[in-house]
Amino acid sequence: MKKIVSLSVVLLFLLSCSTVPITGRKRVNLVSDAKILPASFAQYKGFLKEHKLSSNAKKSNEIQNVGINISKAVDKFMRANNMVSEANSYRWEFNLIEDNTVNAWCMPGGKVVFYTGILPICANTDGIAAVMGHEVAHAFAKHGQERMTSAYGQQLGGIAVALGTNNKDPKTKALWSTIYGVGSSVGMLAYSRTHETEADKLGMVFMIMAGYKPEEAINVWVRMSERAGGKVPPEFLSTHPSNQTRINNLKAYLPTAIAQAKKYNVQ
Ligand SMILES: [Zn+2]
C-alpha cells in the first residue's frame, strides 16, 4: 500500500513537471488551467466590483492599449509554440483602478489590474509596457500556480480553498492576496528571486515583440529604487532581488531579449 502511495506521488510529480517557455526552467505545477481559470475569473470580477475604476479616461485607455499590444505578443508566442489551447483559454482584460498603492498584477488567464499609484513609476508608455510585460509574464509562466503547488505541500487543502469560485469568501480572498497579490495593500507582490528574475526576462521579450523600448524596463527599476530612497521594504529583504541586482540583470539580458523577440516575432 505504502509503495503504491509513494509511487503515485512520484507519478503525479512527473506528470506535473513542465518547462517554462523561453527561459527553459523546470517547474512543478499541480494546478490545472481548467481548475484555476474559473477561480481567477471569479476573483477578478469580485475585485472590480469592490474597487473604484479610475475616472481618468486617457490613462485608462493607455493601460488598455498597452495591454492589448502586449497580449497580442504573448498570444502570437503561444500560437507559434504549441500552446494554442492555452492561448484560446485566455480572457484578456486590463483595468486601471483609483488607488495610491504602487501595485499592478495579472491573474491567470490574462486578468490585469493597474493601480493609479504605479503610474509615476511607469512615467511613460514604454514604462507601462515594462510593468505590463513583467506582470503578464508572471501569469504566462504560471508563477502563482507554482506558489500554490508549494503551499499545497505545506498546507493540505489550501488549493481547494483557493480554487473556490465564490468571490466573497474571505478565506479564498486571503489566499488570492497571498498568492497573486490581489487586493494587497503593501504594493507589488514579492515573488521569489527566481520568479522575479524570470518575469523580468520574459516581460522584456514581450515588450520588445510588442514594439516598446526595452531600456525603459531598466528605468522603471531605477525609479522604483529612487522612490524607496534606499529603504527596501522588509518583505523584500530575503527573497526579492535588490533593485540594483535587477537593473544589472536587465541590462545584461537586453541583447538576448532582443534576439529572442526577433526569433518569436516572425510569423
Ligand atoms: Zn514581479
mmCIF file of all heavy atoms in Angstrom, residues 104-149:
data_model
loop_
_atom_site.group_PDB
_atom_site.id
_atom_site.type_symbol
_atom_site.label_atom_id
_atom_site.label_comp_id
_atom_site.label_asym_id
_atom_site.label_seq_id
_atom_site.Cartn_x
_atom_site.Cartn_y
_atom_site.Cartn_z
ATOM 1 N N ALA A 104 0.457 46.544 -9.340
ATOM 2 C CA ALA A 104 -0.104 46.049 -10.597
ATOM 3 C C ALA A 104 0.018 44.539 -10.546
ATOM 4 O O ALA A 104 0.949 44.023 -9.934
ATOM 5 C CB ALA A 104 0.668 46.581 -11.802
ATOM 6 N N TRP A 105 -0.938 43.838 -11.134
ATOM 7 C CA TRP A 105 -0.833 42.379 -11.172
ATOM 8 C C TRP A 105 -1.614 41.825 -12.350
ATOM 9 O O TRP A 105 -2.436 42.513 -12.952
ATOM 10 C CB TRP A 105 -1.281 41.729 -9.860
ATOM 11 C CG TRP A 105 -2.497 42.293 -9.186
ATOM 12 C CD1 TRP A 105 -2.504 43.096 -8.071
ATOM 13 C CD2 TRP A 105 -3.890 42.104 -9.539
ATOM 14 N NE1 TRP A 105 -3.802 43.415 -7.730
ATOM 15 C CE2 TRP A 105 -4.672 42.820 -8.601
ATOM 16 C CE3 TRP A 105 -4.551 41.403 -10.541
ATOM 17 C CZ2 TRP A 105 -6.067 42.863 -8.646
ATOM 18 C CZ3 TRP A 105 -5.940 41.435 -10.599
ATOM 19 C CH2 TRP A 105 -6.681 42.156 -9.653
ATOM 20 N N CYS A 106 -1.324 40.556 -12.652
ATOM 21 C CA CYS A 106 -2.071 39.850 -13.702
ATOM 22 C C CYS A 106 -2.425 38.480 -13.149
ATOM 23 O O CYS A 106 -1.545 37.729 -12.740
ATOM 24 C CB CYS A 106 -1.227 39.714 -14.963
ATOM 25 S SG CYS A 106 -2.050 38.753 -16.266
ATOM 26 N N MET A 107 -3.710 38.171 -13.120
ATOM 27 C CA MET A 107 -4.153 36.876 -12.639
ATOM 28 C C MET A 107 -4.181 35.881 -13.797
ATOM 29 O O MET A 107 -4.143 36.278 -14.955
ATOM 30 C CB MET A 107 -5.524 37.014 -11.987
ATOM 31 C CG MET A 107 -5.386 37.731 -10.671
ATOM 32 S SD MET A 107 -6.859 38.001 -9.695
ATOM 33 C CE MET A 107 -8.172 37.309 -10.587
ATOM 34 N N PRO A 108 -4.242 34.576 -13.491
ATOM 35 C CA PRO A 108 -4.253 33.569 -14.563
ATOM 36 C C PRO A 108 -5.322 33.871 -15.601
ATOM 37 O O PRO A 108 -6.417 34.311 -15.257
ATOM 38 C CB PRO A 108 -4.575 32.272 -13.816
ATOM 39 C CG PRO A 108 -4.067 32.499 -12.429
ATOM 40 C CD PRO A 108 -4.284 33.957 -12.152
ATOM 41 N N GLY A 109 -4.986 33.651 -16.863
ATOM 42 C CA GLY A 109 -5.941 33.882 -17.941
ATOM 43 C C GLY A 109 -5.976 35.318 -18.420
ATOM 44 O O GLY A 109 -6.864 35.702 -19.161
ATOM 45 N N GLY A 110 -4.988 36.133 -18.004
ATOM 46 C CA GLY A 110 -4.852 37.488 -18.552
ATOM 47 C C GLY A 110 -5.722 38.558 -17.935
ATOM 48 O O GLY A 110 -6.133 39.496 -18.610
ATOM 49 N N LYS A 111 -5.990 38.459 -16.632
ATOM 50 C CA LYS A 111 -6.810 39.474 -15.956
ATOM 51 C C LYS A 111 -5.905 40.473 -15.230
ATOM 52 O O LYS A 111 -5.358 40.164 -14.162
ATOM 53 C CB LYS A 111 -7.750 38.792 -14.951
ATOM 54 C CG LYS A 111 -8.738 37.823 -15.597
ATOM 55 C CD LYS A 111 -9.720 38.569 -16.484
ATOM 56 C CE LYS A 111 -10.890 37.699 -16.901
ATOM 57 N NZ LYS A 111 -11.727 38.371 -17.912
ATOM 58 N N VAL A 112 -5.766 41.663 -15.821
ATOM 59 C CA VAL A 112 -4.782 42.635 -15.345
ATOM 60 C C VAL A 112 -5.426 43.811 -14.611
ATOM 61 O O VAL A 112 -6.473 44.307 -15.026
ATOM 62 C CB VAL A 112 -3.967 43.188 -16.538
ATOM 63 C CG1 VAL A 112 -2.992 44.261 -16.095
ATOM 64 C CG2 VAL A 112 -3.240 42.057 -17.265
ATOM 65 N N VAL A 113 -4.789 44.238 -13.522
ATOM 66 C CA VAL A 113 -5.170 45.483 -12.858
ATOM 67 C C VAL A 113 -3.926 46.339 -12.636
ATOM 68 O O VAL A 113 -2.893 45.843 -12.168
ATOM 69 C CB VAL A 113 -5.904 45.238 -11.511
ATOM 70 C CG1 VAL A 113 -5.910 46.488 -10.641
ATOM 71 C CG2 VAL A 113 -7.350 44.783 -11.749
ATOM 72 N N PHE A 114 -4.010 47.596 -13.024
ATOM 73 C CA PHE A 114 -3.009 48.606 -12.676
ATOM 74 C C PHE A 114 -3.634 49.522 -11.635
ATOM 75 O O PHE A 114 -4.813 49.825 -11.724
ATOM 76 C CB PHE A 114 -2.620 49.440 -13.912
ATOM 77 C CG PHE A 114 -1.406 48.927 -14.634
ATOM 78 C CD1 PHE A 114 -1.399 47.647 -15.175
ATOM 79 C CD2 PHE A 114 -0.268 49.724 -14.789
ATOM 80 C CE1 PHE A 114 -0.277 47.159 -15.846
ATOM 81 C CE2 PHE A 114 0.857 49.246 -15.455
ATOM 82 C CZ PHE A 114 0.857 47.973 -15.986
ATOM 83 N N TYR A 115 -2.838 49.961 -10.648
ATOM 84 C CA TYR A 115 -3.288 50.920 -9.643
ATOM 85 C C TYR A 115 -2.736 52.289 -10.071
ATOM 86 O O TYR A 115 -1.601 52.349 -10.566
ATOM 87 C CB TYR A 115 -2.725 50.556 -8.264
ATOM 88 C CG TYR A 115 -3.236 49.249 -7.674
ATOM 89 C CD1 TYR A 115 -3.147 48.042 -8.372
ATOM 90 C CD2 TYR A 115 -3.799 49.221 -6.394
ATOM 91 C CE1 TYR A 115 -3.611 46.857 -7.822
ATOM 92 C CE2 TYR A 115 -4.263 48.032 -5.839
ATOM 93 C CZ TYR A 115 -4.167 46.852 -6.555
ATOM 94 O OH TYR A 115 -4.621 45.672 -6.006
ATOM 95 N N THR A 116 -3.507 53.355 -9.849
ATOM 96 C CA THR A 116 -3.013 54.675 -10.267
ATOM 97 C C THR A 116 -1.685 55.009 -9.574
ATOM 98 O O THR A 116 -0.878 55.749 -10.114
ATOM 99 C CB THR A 116 -4.057 55.783 -9.986
ATOM 100 O OG1 THR A 116 -4.569 55.604 -8.661
ATOM 101 C CG2 THR A 116 -5.215 55.735 -10.976
ATOM 102 N N GLY A 117 -1.451 54.420 -8.391
ATOM 103 C CA GLY A 117 -0.220 54.676 -7.641
ATOM 104 C C GLY A 117 1.051 54.240 -8.343
ATOM 105 O O GLY A 117 2.145 54.709 -8.006
ATOM 106 N N ILE A 118 0.940 53.365 -9.343
ATOM 107 C CA ILE A 118 2.171 52.900 -10.015
ATOM 108 C C ILE A 118 2.484 53.760 -11.242
ATOM 109 O O ILE A 118 3.590 53.676 -11.801
ATOM 110 C CB ILE A 118 2.090 51.404 -10.389
ATOM 111 C CG1 ILE A 118 3.513 50.826 -10.542
ATOM 112 C CG2 ILE A 118 1.252 51.154 -11.650
ATOM 113 C CD1 ILE A 118 3.600 49.335 -10.588
ATOM 114 N N LEU A 119 1.550 54.639 -11.627
ATOM 115 C CA LEU A 119 1.761 55.428 -12.853
ATOM 116 C C LEU A 119 2.996 56.324 -12.809
ATOM 117 O O LEU A 119 3.720 56.410 -13.805
ATOM 118 C CB LEU A 119 0.493 56.223 -13.200
ATOM 119 C CG LEU A 119 -0.730 55.338 -13.550
ATOM 120 C CD1 LEU A 119 -1.959 56.202 -13.815
ATOM 121 C CD2 LEU A 119 -0.441 54.432 -14.746
ATOM 122 N N PRO A 120 3.300 56.992 -11.659
ATOM 123 C CA PRO A 120 4.533 57.802 -11.631
ATOM 124 C C PRO A 120 5.798 56.962 -11.811
ATOM 125 O O PRO A 120 6.805 57.449 -12.337
ATOM 126 C CB PRO A 120 4.517 58.440 -10.236
ATOM 127 C CG PRO A 120 3.094 58.377 -9.792
ATOM 128 C CD PRO A 120 2.516 57.146 -10.431
ATOM 129 N N ILE A 121 5.773 55.702 -11.375
ATOM 130 C CA ILE A 121 6.936 54.818 -11.552
ATOM 131 C C ILE A 121 7.035 54.417 -13.032
ATOM 132 O O ILE A 121 8.117 54.327 -13.602
ATOM 133 C CB ILE A 121 6.810 53.546 -10.676
ATOM 134 C CG1 ILE A 121 6.584 53.907 -9.200
ATOM 135 C CG2 ILE A 121 7.993 52.603 -10.865
ATOM 136 C CD1 ILE A 121 7.791 54.289 -8.416
ATOM 137 N N CYS A 122 5.885 54.193 -13.660
ATOM 138 C CA CYS A 122 5.879 53.857 -15.091
ATOM 139 C C CYS A 122 6.367 55.064 -15.902
ATOM 140 O O CYS A 122 7.137 54.912 -16.834
ATOM 141 C CB CYS A 122 4.473 53.482 -15.559
ATOM 142 S SG CYS A 122 3.827 51.985 -14.792
ATOM 143 N N ALA A 123 5.877 56.239 -15.540
ATOM 144 C CA ALA A 123 6.282 57.533 -16.126
ATOM 145 C C ALA A 123 5.886 57.764 -17.584
ATOM 146 O O ALA A 123 5.597 58.872 -17.968
ATOM 147 C CB ALA A 123 7.784 57.790 -15.942
ATOM 148 N N ASN A 124 5.907 56.743 -18.408
ATOM 149 C CA ASN A 124 5.568 56.922 -19.827
ATOM 150 C C ASN A 124 5.035 55.601 -20.390
ATOM 151 O O ASN A 124 5.010 54.586 -19.683
ATOM 152 C CB ASN A 124 6.796 57.401 -20.605
ATOM 153 C CG ASN A 124 8.000 56.504 -20.359
ATOM 154 O OD1 ASN A 124 7.931 55.289 -20.548
ATOM 155 N ND2 ASN A 124 9.089 57.091 -19.883
ATOM 156 N N THR A 125 4.649 55.623 -21.665
ATOM 157 C CA THR A 125 4.029 54.432 -22.271
ATOM 158 C C THR A 125 4.965 53.222 -22.249
ATOM 159 O O THR A 125 4.531 52.108 -21.973
ATOM 160 C CB THR A 125 3.595 54.745 -23.723
ATOM 161 O OG1 THR A 125 2.900 55.985 -23.708
ATOM 162 C CG2 THR A 125 2.672 53.674 -24.267
ATOM 163 N N ASP A 126 6.251 53.449 -22.525
ATOM 164 C CA ASP A 126 7.195 52.330 -22.503
ATOM 165 C C ASP A 126 7.338 51.762 -21.083
ATOM 166 O O ASP A 126 7.493 50.550 -20.910
ATOM 167 C CB ASP A 126 8.558 52.773 -23.040
ATOM 168 C CG ASP A 126 8.489 53.137 -24.519
ATOM 169 O OD1 ASP A 126 8.169 52.247 -25.334
ATOM 170 O OD2 ASP A 126 8.721 54.314 -24.859
ATOM 171 N N GLY A 127 7.260 52.652 -20.102
ATOM 172 C CA GLY A 127 7.318 52.213 -18.700
ATOM 173 C C GLY A 127 6.099 51.368 -18.345
ATOM 174 O O GLY A 127 6.203 50.367 -17.623
ATOM 175 N N ILE A 128 4.936 51.773 -18.839
ATOM 176 C CA ILE A 128 3.717 50.980 -18.624
ATOM 177 C C ILE A 128 3.898 49.607 -19.270
ATOM 178 O O ILE A 128 3.570 48.576 -18.677
ATOM 179 C CB ILE A 128 2.467 51.693 -19.218
ATOM 180 C CG1 ILE A 128 2.165 52.969 -18.426
ATOM 181 C CG2 ILE A 128 1.246 50.760 -19.224
ATOM 182 C CD1 ILE A 128 1.060 53.838 -19.005
ATOM 183 N N ALA A 129 4.485 49.602 -20.479
ATOM 184 C CA ALA A 129 4.705 48.331 -21.179
ATOM 185 C C ALA A 129 5.670 47.430 -20.406
ATOM 186 O O ALA A 129 5.508 46.202 -20.393
ATOM 187 C CB ALA A 129 5.242 48.597 -22.586
ATOM 188 N N ALA A 130 6.658 48.043 -19.735
ATOM 189 C CA ALA A 130 7.623 47.257 -18.963
ATOM 190 C C ALA A 130 6.928 46.571 -17.790
ATOM 191 O O ALA A 130 7.120 45.375 -17.544
ATOM 192 C CB ALA A 130 8.750 48.157 -18.462
ATOM 193 N N VAL A 131 6.095 47.344 -17.070
ATOM 194 C CA VAL A 131 5.371 46.770 -15.922
ATOM 195 C C VAL A 131 4.337 45.746 -16.407
ATOM 196 O O VAL A 131 4.209 44.654 -15.851
ATOM 197 C CB VAL A 131 4.702 47.884 -15.073
ATOM 198 C CG1 VAL A 131 3.833 47.296 -13.971
ATOM 199 C CG2 VAL A 131 5.773 48.801 -14.472
ATOM 200 N N MET A 132 3.642 46.091 -17.502
ATOM 201 C CA MET A 132 2.645 45.181 -18.077
ATOM 202 C C MET A 132 3.316 43.865 -18.491
ATOM 203 O O MET A 132 2.823 42.785 -18.176
ATOM 204 C CB MET A 132 1.993 45.852 -19.293
ATOM 205 C CG MET A 132 0.855 45.088 -19.926
ATOM 206 S SD MET A 132 -0.674 45.140 -18.960
ATOM 207 C CE MET A 132 -1.252 46.815 -19.234
ATOM 208 N N GLY A 133 4.440 43.979 -19.182
ATOM 209 C CA GLY A 133 5.166 42.788 -19.645
ATOM 210 C C GLY A 133 5.568 41.918 -18.468
ATOM 211 O O GLY A 133 5.395 40.698 -18.491
ATOM 212 N N HIS A 134 6.066 42.562 -17.413
ATOM 213 C CA HIS A 134 6.512 41.837 -16.223
ATOM 214 C C HIS A 134 5.348 41.103 -15.549
ATOM 215 O O HIS A 134 5.454 39.918 -15.227
ATOM 216 C CB HIS A 134 7.174 42.825 -15.257
ATOM 217 C CG HIS A 134 7.572 42.217 -13.950
ATOM 218 N ND1 HIS A 134 8.831 41.709 -13.720
ATOM 219 C CD2 HIS A 134 6.867 42.012 -12.803
ATOM 220 C CE1 HIS A 134 8.891 41.231 -12.482
ATOM 221 N NE2 HIS A 134 7.708 41.397 -11.906
ATOM 222 N N GLU A 135 4.236 41.802 -15.344
ATOM 223 C CA GLU A 135 3.095 41.189 -14.647
ATOM 224 C C GLU A 135 2.466 40.076 -15.483
ATOM 225 O O GLU A 135 2.134 39.012 -14.967
ATOM 226 C CB GLU A 135 2.044 42.245 -14.279
ATOM 227 C CG GLU A 135 2.527 43.299 -13.283
ATOM 228 C CD GLU A 135 3.093 42.695 -11.994
ATOM 229 O OE1 GLU A 135 2.643 41.620 -11.574
ATOM 230 O OE2 GLU A 135 4.010 43.313 -11.412
ATOM 231 N N VAL A 136 2.313 40.331 -16.778
ATOM 232 C CA VAL A 136 1.751 39.314 -17.674
ATOM 233 C C VAL A 136 2.684 38.092 -17.693
ATOM 234 O O VAL A 136 2.225 36.948 -17.741
ATOM 235 C CB VAL A 136 1.530 39.905 -19.084
ATOM 236 C CG1 VAL A 136 1.335 38.814 -20.119
ATOM 237 C CG2 VAL A 136 0.326 40.853 -19.078
ATOM 238 N N ALA A 137 3.990 38.340 -17.613
ATOM 239 C CA ALA A 137 4.961 37.243 -17.612
ATOM 240 C C ALA A 137 4.776 36.331 -16.395
ATOM 241 O O ALA A 137 4.897 35.113 -16.504
ATOM 242 C CB ALA A 137 6.383 37.784 -17.654
ATOM 243 N N HIS A 138 4.457 36.913 -15.223
ATOM 244 C CA HIS A 138 4.184 36.080 -14.033
ATOM 245 C C HIS A 138 3.018 35.125 -14.331
ATOM 246 O O HIS A 138 3.064 33.951 -13.979
ATOM 247 C CB HIS A 138 3.783 36.952 -12.835
ATOM 248 C CG HIS A 138 4.942 37.525 -12.063
ATOM 249 N ND1 HIS A 138 5.969 36.757 -11.568
ATOM 250 C CD2 HIS A 138 5.209 38.804 -11.660
ATOM 251 C CE1 HIS A 138 6.827 37.535 -10.904
ATOM 252 N NE2 HIS A 138 6.400 38.790 -10.961
ATOM 253 N N ALA A 139 1.977 35.652 -14.985
ATOM 254 C CA ALA A 139 0.801 34.819 -15.297
ATOM 255 C C ALA A 139 1.140 33.792 -16.364
ATOM 256 O O ALA A 139 0.793 32.614 -16.242
ATOM 257 C CB ALA A 139 -0.356 35.700 -15.751
ATOM 258 N N PHE A 140 1.854 34.240 -17.393
ATOM 259 C CA PHE A 140 2.252 33.370 -18.507
ATOM 260 C C PHE A 140 3.080 32.181 -17.998
ATOM 261 O O PHE A 140 2.878 31.041 -18.414
ATOM 262 C CB PHE A 140 3.049 34.194 -19.527
ATOM 263 C CG PHE A 140 3.743 33.385 -20.580
ATOM 264 C CD1 PHE A 140 3.064 32.974 -21.718
ATOM 265 C CD2 PHE A 140 5.088 33.045 -20.456
ATOM 266 C CE1 PHE A 140 3.700 32.228 -22.706
ATOM 267 C CE2 PHE A 140 5.731 32.300 -21.435
ATOM 268 C CZ PHE A 140 5.041 31.895 -22.556
ATOM 269 N N ALA A 141 4.004 32.461 -17.084
ATOM 270 C CA ALA A 141 4.883 31.405 -16.566
ATOM 271 C C ALA A 141 4.227 30.632 -15.420
ATOM 272 O O ALA A 141 4.827 29.722 -14.866
ATOM 273 C CB ALA A 141 6.210 32.007 -16.121
ATOM 274 N N LYS A 142 2.993 31.014 -15.066
ATOM 275 C CA LYS A 142 2.205 30.341 -14.023
ATOM 276 C C LYS A 142 2.903 30.332 -12.663
ATOM 277 O O LYS A 142 2.886 29.328 -11.940
ATOM 278 C CB LYS A 142 1.860 28.908 -14.446
ATOM 279 C CG LYS A 142 1.170 28.874 -15.792
ATOM 280 C CD LYS A 142 0.714 27.501 -16.168
ATOM 281 C CE LYS A 142 0.200 27.567 -17.590
ATOM 282 N NZ LYS A 142 -0.798 26.670 -17.967
ATOM 283 N N HIS A 143 3.511 31.458 -12.320
ATOM 284 C CA HIS A 143 4.217 31.530 -11.047
ATOM 285 C C HIS A 143 3.282 31.354 -9.864
ATOM 286 O O HIS A 143 3.650 30.739 -8.869
ATOM 287 C CB HIS A 143 4.960 32.872 -10.945
ATOM 288 C CG HIS A 143 6.142 32.947 -11.865
ATOM 289 N ND1 HIS A 143 6.705 34.141 -12.259
ATOM 290 C CD2 HIS A 143 6.857 31.972 -12.478
ATOM 291 C CE1 HIS A 143 7.727 33.887 -13.063
ATOM 292 N NE2 HIS A 143 7.831 32.587 -13.219
ATOM 293 N N GLY A 144 2.074 31.903 -9.980
ATOM 294 C CA GLY A 144 1.106 31.771 -8.889
ATOM 295 C C GLY A 144 0.743 30.317 -8.635
ATOM 296 O O GLY A 144 0.672 29.875 -7.482
ATOM 297 N N GLN A 145 0.546 29.573 -9.719
ATOM 298 C CA GLN A 145 0.183 28.162 -9.566
ATOM 299 C C GLN A 145 1.341 27.382 -8.945
ATOM 300 O O GLN A 145 1.121 26.449 -8.183
ATOM 301 C CB GLN A 145 -0.191 27.547 -10.925
ATOM 302 C CG GLN A 145 -1.535 28.036 -11.467
ATOM 303 C CD GLN A 145 -1.413 29.277 -12.323
ATOM 304 O OE1 GLN A 145 -0.791 30.252 -11.929
ATOM 305 N NE2 GLN A 145 -2.006 29.267 -13.512
ATOM 306 N N GLU A 146 2.561 27.800 -9.257
ATOM 307 C CA GLU A 146 3.727 27.154 -8.638
ATOM 308 C C GLU A 146 3.757 27.448 -7.143
ATOM 309 O O GLU A 146 4.025 26.562 -6.335
ATOM 310 C CB GLU A 146 5.002 27.712 -9.284
ATOM 311 C CG GLU A 146 5.880 26.671 -9.917
ATOM 312 C CD GLU A 146 7.163 27.282 -10.440
ATOM 313 O OE1 GLU A 146 7.143 27.846 -11.554
ATOM 314 O OE2 GLU A 146 8.168 27.209 -9.735
ATOM 315 N N ARG A 147 3.450 28.701 -6.804
ATOM 316 C CA ARG A 147 3.369 29.080 -5.380
ATOM 317 C C ARG A 147 2.298 28.266 -4.698
ATOM 318 O O ARG A 147 2.461 27.813 -3.571
ATOM 319 C CB ARG A 147 3.004 30.564 -5.237
ATOM 320 C CG ARG A 147 4.119 31.520 -5.541
ATOM 321 C CD ARG A 147 3.544 32.910 -5.694
ATOM 322 N NE ARG A 147 3.149 33.497 -4.429
ATOM 323 C CZ ARG A 147 3.911 34.335 -3.735
ATOM 324 N NH1 ARG A 147 5.080 34.667 -4.186
ATOM 325 N NH2 ARG A 147 3.493 34.831 -2.611
ATOM 326 N N MET A 148 1.186 28.101 -5.408
ATOM 327 C CA MET A 148 0.065 27.362 -4.863
ATOM 328 C C MET A 148 0.463 25.902 -4.648
ATOM 329 O O MET A 148 0.119 25.293 -3.648
ATOM 330 C CB MET A 148 -1.106 27.441 -5.841
ATOM 331 C CG MET A 148 -2.449 27.509 -5.186
ATOM 332 S SD MET A 148 -3.747 27.622 -6.431
ATOM 333 C CE MET A 148 -4.087 29.353 -6.441
ATOM 334 N N THR A 149 1.215 25.361 -5.603
ATOM 335 C CA THR A 149 1.664 23.975 -5.528
ATOM 336 C C THR A 149 2.571 23.770 -4.312
ATOM 337 O O THR A 149 2.414 22.797 -3.583
ATOM 338 C CB THR A 149 2.414 23.576 -6.825
ATOM 339 O OG1 THR A 149 1.511 23.729 -7.908
ATOM 340 C CG2 THR A 149 2.909 22.145 -6.764
#
